[in-house]
Amino acid sequence: MGQARLRHTSPSPLRLSLGRDDDPALFTTNGLNRHCILTTGTYDLVEASPEVRHRQVVLFEQLLSGLEGRFQLHIRSRPADGVASSRNRLAGFLAAASGPPTYRRDVALVVSDSTPLVARLTSRWSRLGRAGGWSDLAQDPSRAVRAEADAALRALNLMGLAPRLLEGRGLDRFLDHNLPGCVARGLPVDWQEDAGVLRLDETLSRSFVLDAYPGMDLEAGWLSAVLETPASYDVALHGFRVPAGSALRALSHRIRDLQAARLSDLASHSAGDPLAEAGLPEAIGLRREVASNQQHVFSIGVYVTLQAQAQRELDAASEALQDRSSRSMLRLLPATFQMAPARIATLPVGEDPMGDDRLLPGAVVATLYPWLWDELQQPHGHFIGRRHRGGSPVLLDSWDEGRFSNANLGVFGHSGAGKTFLMKGILLSDHDDGIGGFVIDPEAEYAEVCRAVDGQWVDLALGSGTSINVLDSALAAVGERDPLGDQVSDLMDLLGTMSGTLTEDERVDLDLVLRELLVSPGRTLADLRERLLAADAAPRVARSLRRWTEGPTG
């Protein structure tokens, strides 16, 4: 008693045991609750248009409103080491790059059973007098959780988040990767706990509880104040939808307390509490919306756990998190003397031993939308640069047909923005894979790169002695029906540019002469001019070709 620090070797302070269910997608905690885990892709809500933002937030609220049981949104941030790239040299470069560390963030949804879920399902179907499968579902939590997970999978797909329900070995790998060894595999652990720090072997952690939300109209994305902290962390949002009857009772009690506070202030002639004055009409309005089934109420708890390998690093991350939160009018309180249960609350296992939750309307819960960045890191992609927010590397594979409709790239920017630098990087990256390229370089900006990779530099300037013979045989695609006709058509367009718009008579003459010339290799524009003069065909084009076949231009 009275000791602020405890040190043990075993058992673990994280009193949590894992088990497996008959369903390969389910696991159990402490032999009681069942859970499913869905991993998701990324989405940058911050950079989305207002219309898209609104749609995503509405779909997110619908997702949570459709869940009968408890849920947990888990956001994991860890250093990005560049191993996402399948290009060995690029992966090594990213891993060795200097500068501030960058972090990769992943979001997972944990769907769990709970006593409220089973009770509500049983009550609902018994009142309706249903029999058979639905009553069996109410008595079978495993089937109920799996049905919830399948519904969540469809909702996340509708949001474009590419979800995946983890099963079998995939689930085992996820748990091993995201849980401490003492929980995932039951390994012995050297641990030490004091009022503000929990140490498991060599990893230090400090947990916080979100105690106050911003005192202003909330917009989706405000959680970025926490999620964009440059540190290793786990954030957990635990919640469940509160039945309307319970929500109405809680709101009635809250309204009664606020009205009592107002009457007390009036009786004592003291200035009223501005928060109470603002909260009373909002509570009355929310009660009206819940009673008319226009709004759902959720019980929500938000927890953050920071991790580090050294005390100084942990203190710096804690200071950065507190500073970012206070500037956004959030209040994060350390889970003093509760570091172990708070750490369990931030593990992706659907357990919340803290129980530090708040009643929030669905419109507010929807603003907790956690997909606030798009980590574009395709394994076969080129290194484009780093994200402005977070600094993570951007790896773009334009040949990924699952993501892009075509492989074309457009690079736009003001002078000096780095367009040429980017294109040089893409060319060199392709060269490492044995892929060549053609560059039209009027300013000789790529000469050094060409020499570095033993490329061929072709000088096409006037007087250089080098030219392109447009009458060389074209490289026809396999199966192309009329490659000669296509080349003639292209040459017509070129001659029209050189000589002005062609008349129909000129096009007929040129079509005949070009088809005769193209069957013989080595012909040039000079041969075309001579043939036109000899046949007295398209005289205007023949005169125009003189400047392109004689003198400095020819």
Side-chain angles (χ1 to χ4, degrees), residues 263-306:
L263 292 175
S264 176
D265 292 335
L266 290 174
S268 61
H269 303 286
S270 61
D273 184 353
L275 294 179
E277 293 295 328
L280 181 58
E282 291 185 2
I284 294 174
L286 178 58
R287 184 176 62 177
R288 184 185 307 112
E289 292 176 350
V290 173
S292 60
N293 201 29
Q294 298 178 10
Q295 183 87 272
H296 293 295
V297 175
F298 293 83
S299 176
I300 298 293
V302 181
Y303 312 97
V304 183
T305 294
L306 296 173

Side-chain angles (χ1 to χ4, degrees), residues 181-473:
C182 58
V183 174
R185 296 181 294 276
L187 301 177
V189 60
D190 181 31
W191 63 277
Q192 177 176 304
E193 182 180 15
D194 62 20
V197 177
L198 173 67
R199 182 179 64 80
L200 298 176
D201 289 330
E202 301 302 322
T203 301
L204 303 176
S205 65
R206 177 175 294 149
S207 298
F208 299 83
V209 179
L210 182 58
D211 183 64
Y213 291 76
M216 53 185 173
D217 292 336
L218 294 178
E219 294 185 0
W222 63 267
L223 198 59
S224 62
V226 174
L227 301 185
E228 293 186 1
T229 302
S232 295
Y233 62 70
D234 292 276
V235 174
L237 286 71
H238 290 271
F240 64 92
R241 179 162 56 85
V242 180
S246 300
L248 289 172
R249 285 192 296 271
L251 287 170
S252 296
H253 293 161
R254 179 60 176 163
I255 291 171
R256 180 197 61 192
D257 294 341
L258 292 173
Q259 289 174 334
R262 173 185 283 183
L263 292 175
S264 176
D265 292 335
L266 290 174
S268 61
H269 303 286
S270 61
D273 184 353
L275 294 179
E277 293 295 328
L280 181 58
E282 291 185 2
I284 294 174
L286 178 58
R287 184 176 62 177
R288 184 185 307 112
E289 292 176 350
V290 173
S292 60
N293 201 29
Q294 298 178 10
Q295 183 87 272
H296 293 295
V297 175
F298 293 83
S299 176
I300 298 293
V302 181
Y303 312 97
V304 183
T305 294
L306 296 173
Q307 293 192 35
Q309 300 300 312
Q311 185 67 45
R312 179 179 299 179
E313 181 184 352
L314 182 64
D315 292 340
S318 301
E319 183 178 352
L321 175 64
Q322 294 277 35
D323 179 64
R324 295 175 64 90
S325 301
S326 60
R327 284 191 278 115
S328 298
M329 301 181 67
L330 299 173
R331 185 165 71 232
L332 285 172
L333 298 181
T336 306
F337 291 110
Q338 300 184 81
M339 289 295 158
R343 183 68 186 104
I344 294 177
T346 56
L347 296 176
V349 292
E351 292 290 339
D352 179 14
M354 294 289 290
D356 197 326
D357 49 8
R358 302 284 188 274
L359 288 182
L360 299 176
V364 173
V365 174
T367 65
L368 289 166
Y369 188 100
W371 293 275
L372 304 178
W373 56 89
D374 187 3
E375 300 286 357
L376 185 58
Q377 295 187 4
Q378 298 171 280
H380 301 291
H382 299 292
F383 177 51
I384 302 299
R386 296 186 179 274
R387 286 181 54 82
H388 178 67
R389 293 187 298 114
S392 60
V394 176
L395 305 178
L396 173 65
D397 179 12
S398 60
W399 295 98
D400 183 355
E401 296 181 355
R403 183 160 187 152
F404 305 112
S405 59
N406 62 68
N408 296 323
L409 291 176
V411 181
F412 303 92
H414 58 80
S415 179
K419 301 183 295 298
T420 302
F421 182 84
L422 171 60
M423 291 308 303
K424 288 178 179 178
I426 293 176
L427 289 169
L428 291 174
S429 181
D430 276 338
H431 179 265
D432 283 345
D433 292 340
I435 301 173
F438 296 91
V439 179
I440 299 174
D441 184 17
E443 299 181 6
E445 295 178 300
Y446 294 82
E448 185 176 351
V449 172
C450 183
R451 289 192 295 269
V453 298
D454 295 327
Q456 182 181 6
W457 181 267
V458 180
D459 192 351
L460 295 176
L462 293 177
S464 64
T466 306
S467 60
I468 296 175
N469 184 8
V470 296
L471 268 64
D472 277 344
S473 299

